[in-house]
Amino acid sequence: WDYHTQVKPFASIIHPTQFRDWRLEGQAFEFGGSSYNSTNQTVPIPTKSRTHLKMDVTTGPFISYGIDCDRTDPFADALFEVHNKGTGAAQHRYSSTDVSLYNIARFMWEISTREEYRMQTKGDVLSGIGGECIEKIDTDNVQEETDPPGRVSFSIVPIKDCRTLFRKQRFKGLFHSVFVSHDASSIVKDLNFYELMKSGASMTVETCSLQVVTNKSHKQESTKRLREMLGGANMTETTVVRNADCNESLLMFRIN
């Protein structure tokens, strides 16, 4: 029900078998030649009646990298090719696993070579790596971990640890940009949180638009409450990012 009503309408490339295996076993991506005969033990939590998965079953890990990609690669559109379209038996030729693998390969390639990644063969997401292509990686030109000009650092702070930063003076006015996930969005109610940001800093807040188990009216009400909390904290909304279902998925603000 969750798949057909909430996932398939905006991300049909996520195969129902993939989504089912994720919900039941915590296994999101499978590759040929590997055996997946046990539950992912990093995500379950036991209860009196049965074991439930603690991870993000509302969207799964597919959303981040597995439903779209940069289309500047001439072969990128082929990853979303649909056979028998309009016949009632439409089927994607490639899966969310292929798109995710392509995105990760592209990111790692561009970090290593400072060049755009290009598939050499249609449908082969790793065809841009290896052979002559691998020679493009300039290992002598990789910046060392000193303090090069324009260096950017980032930190991932769990919400339970975030409030400990409020008591430490060295974190006051430190951050230029902050991303708040939906699961951590309650932190925006605490006015001490905004003291961690520099004047003019930007903040991106994730809404619950991609939660499978949330209905449309709940999503709208939740987004409305987020806006009210951020408005009360003297933040100015600058941009709204909508997902493929036209729901507001990210709200971007700037601190006044």
Side-chain angles (χ1 to χ4, degrees), residues 130-157:
E132 296 180 358
C133 298
I134 204 66
E135 297 177 3
K136 293 182 179 179
I137 299 179
D138 184 4
T139 55
D140 294 330
N141 196 33
V142 176
Q143 294 180 351
E144 296 182 358
E145 289 295 323
T146 54
D147 274 317
R151 179 179 181 180
V152 175
S153 62
F154 69 94
S155 302
I156 300 174
V157 184

Side-chain angles (χ1 to χ4, degrees), residues 222-239:
S222 176
T223 302
K224 179 182 177 182
R225 289 200 302 269
L226 270 177
R227 282 196 167 97
E228 290 173 350
M229 288 188 291
L230 289 159
N234 200 28
M235 301 288 288
T236 300
E237 187 170 340
T238 58
T239 310

Side-chain angles (χ1 to χ4, degrees), residues 107-115 136-139 142:
F107 296 155
M108 298 304 293
W109 175 265
E110 293 177 5
I111 289 172
S112 300
T113 66
R114 298 175 178 83
E115 295 182 7
K136 293 182 179 179
I137 299 179
D138 184 4
T139 55
V142 176

